[in-house]
Every structure is written in structure tokens, then in C-alpha cells.
Amino acid sequence: MPAANGRVYFSDLRTDRMEIIERGAAGAGRLAVIGGLHGDEPAGERIVRRLAEALPTPEAAAGSGTVQLIVANEPALEAGVRYTDTDLNRAFPGDADSDEYERALAPRIVDAVDGADAVLAIHTSHSVPPPFAIYSDLSPSVRRTVTALGVDYVLDAGSLRGTTLDSVVPHTVSVEVGRQGSQQAVEFGLEATRGFLRAHGALADAPPAYRSVRVVEGIEEVPKGGGEPRVNYANFEPMPEGAVFASDDTYTHRVDEDGIVPVLASEHGYDEIFGLYGRLRGTVEPPADADD
Ligand SMILES: [Zn+2]
């Protein structure tokens, strides 16, 4: 769907579709905001469309920079499903020749944001608040993003899967903005994305606001078996040694050391996992040029 103004690139090679709306910036950087990597998380697309209305066209903007606003997985969004063939955020870097829709779409997204100074991918989950960020590699750009989103926690996923967008595209941060389908997630995510745009100089309506963010190092996924799942601890809640994080008919997941915290913990959010184990490991501090 072309926007009312500004340039729109509509890709329809094979069955691959993706909408990229290009907007201008107050500064010089090249940024990208991606919504709808998962089709059952409508907040990202709504945030992208709100920004498309609010930001100036490249011609009307004060700076030479650009903000690419991307609606990634349109068929899945239309169908209201996480994916049509395979989980897009487990399919990077992808394969242009794949018969699986998302696997073929993935390299098109990578190409679109190639060379960007900073990329933000918006997600929601079945898990409980608080919102948090995820990175795989802490570049200076990623530090700037993570400390400008208004989140208190960030997951360092560098030792987890290598098939997510943030593990493949440099300077990418994923943000979990809240519960799937909630208005609160849209509002938080919109404010977090404005924080991202301010931090990287694209939005000059207010100075960027940075904060120190606690880092949780991702350790491993916690598998699910069969039967009724039970989760006993909330995200980022420290679990004492010996505590049972989660259980079902197959598993009783007891933590064997102090200081482990759950991330993306949920009973019904994922078919295969209860969530992740993480370990609190220091903080990410705002960039050196931030005033506080
Ligand atoms: Zn998602």
C-alpha cells in the first residue's frame, strides 16, 4: 500500500513482498525501523505506519539522512500468523532461492538495510513485562540505541542463535515492547522508537534521553515437553539455587546455581521452549557524549 507521500518501494519479485517507506531525517545518519518480522505481532506495523505519517519526506527534511520504515512479513501479517512457512527471525541470513517464503524474504531485508548506521526491529511477546532490548554485538551504535529506548534490561544474545536479524545485520537491536496485541505495546514501542531516532540524530523534537541498562547474558533455551506447562518465575526475577523455573509432564527445570533469571518466560508463548536462562552481567552505559 503506497503511503500518501514520500517514496515507496514495493517489492513483488516472486511471491516476496515487503514494504519500504523512506522518510527524511533531521541529521545525516541512515537508520531503519522494522516492524512485522512476525505476523502475529501487529504493534510493529502500527508503529511503522504512525512514524510514516509523522516523519517528513526526504525532500522536506532538514538533514541528508534517511529513515527506512519497513513492514517485513506482509502475508503473515494479513493472515495474523507468526509466519507462513518458517520463522523469519530464525531464518537469517536466508536463501534467495528457497521455496520457503520467509527464508527467501530474509536476504531481501538484509540487502535493504545493508550499510545502515543503526537498525531497530520491533517485537512483542506472550511474555510478561517489562519491555527489554536484545543485541548480539555491542557496537557503539548498539550502545547508543540500547540506552536510548527507555528499557531497563537488555539481553546479550551473542552466544545464542545465529539466525536472528540482530545476529546477522551489524548495529541491529531488537526490542520487545510488550504483550502481543496490546495497545500498551504500541504506545511503549512508539516512544522507544522515537528515543532511537533522537539518539541517532534523526528526530530533533527533543534531546535524546539515555539511561544505564542492565545486561542479561543469554545462556540457553529451556525446552518444553508435553502436558500442561507451568512457569514459576517472571522475566528477570532472580531464582535461588534449587528453584524450579518451569515444568510440564516431561521436564522439571531446576536451576543449579544462584543468579539465573528467566527471559521471555511464558507458558503458552512458544511451542518448543519455556523461555531462556540468562545471567545478570553488569550494565551498558550511555555513550560518552550523552549529557545526564
Ligand atoms: Zn517477534
Side-chain angles (χ1 to χ4, degrees):
M1 267 48 56
N5 46 34
R7 282 175 290 167
V8 174
Y9 304 101
F10 199 87
S11 310
D12 58 358
L13 287 179
R14 292 203 332 159
T15 55
D16 302 341
R17 287 183 293 154
M18 165 171 63
E19 185 176 349
I20 303 179
I21 304 165
E22 192 166 297
R23 289 290 180 263
R30 209 190 119 201
L31 311 180
V33 177
I34 306 177
L37 284 168
H38 291 133
D40 59 349
E41 302 174 10
E45 180 182 11
R46 289 172 63 187
I47 289 163
V48 159
R49 298 211 182 280
R50 295 263 292 267
L51 290 170
E53 287 169 21
L55 296 176
T57 62
E59 296 75 23
S64 59
T66 56
V67 181
Q68 282 180 303
L69 302 170
I70 300 179
V71 180
N73 195 341
E74 296 194 302
L77 282 161
E78 281 164 24
V81 295
R82 187 172 172 87
Y83 54 82
T84 61
D85 290 333
T86 191
D87 191 328
L88 177 55
N89 210 30
R90 306 285 181 270
F92 287 98
D95 173 5
D97 297 324
S98 176
D99 291 331
E100 291 180 306
Y101 175 74
E102 282 85 0
R103 205 169 297 285
L105 175 63
R108 301 173 56 76
I109 296 172
V110 173
D111 284 350
V113 301
D114 183 45
D117 298 302
V119 180
L120 184 67
I122 300 164
H123 290 271
T124 52
S125 79
H126 288 286
S127 195
V128 293
F132 65 97
I134 304 168
Y135 67 75
S136 290
D137 182 32
L138 186 61
S139 69
S141 165
V142 164
R143 172 186 300 277
R144 184 172 295 278
T145 299
V146 162
T147 55
L149 295 174
V151 297
D152 292 320
Y153 293 94
V154 62
L155 174 68
D156 176 351
S159 60
L160 299 172
R161 294 174 188 267
T163 53
T164 59
L165 183 72
D166 58 73
S167 62
V168 167
V169 174
H171 315 312
T172 297
V173 171
S174 302
V175 60
E176 292 281 352
V177 297
R179 199 180 289 275
Q180 224 153 312
S182 71
Q183 184 59 29
Q184 230 181 347
V186 176
E187 296 308 325
F188 180 86
L190 192 57
E191 208 37 58
T193 306
R194 287 197 187 107
F196 165 76
L197 296 174
R198 288 179 192 124
H200 292 278
L203 199 57
D205 62 332
Y210 297 101
R211 65 165 82 177
S212 167
V213 177
R214 299 189 78 179
V215 179
V216 176
E217 179 184 18
I219 303 171
E220 60 184 356
E221 296 183 341
V222 185
K224 227 176 180 178
E228 190 59 25
R230 255 188 87 91
V231 167
N232 302 316
Y233 286 85
N235 285 339
F236 309 114
E237 182 184 1
M239 298 181 286
E241 181 185 345
V244 173
F245 161 52
S247 58
D248 59 16
D249 293 352
T250 313
Y251 293 107
T252 299
H253 293 294
R254 201 178 293 279
V255 295
D256 57 9
E257 58 177 298
D258 269 331
I260 303 294
V261 300
V263 186
L264 285 170
S266 77
E267 289 174 341
H268 298 286
Y270 304 93
D271 292 338
E272 286 152 24
I273 59 170
F274 286 108
L276 308 169
Y277 283 148
R279 190 180 283 113
L280 288 168
R281 201 207 57 199
T283 58
V284 176
E285 297 300 328
D289 61 322
D291 302 322
D292 47 11

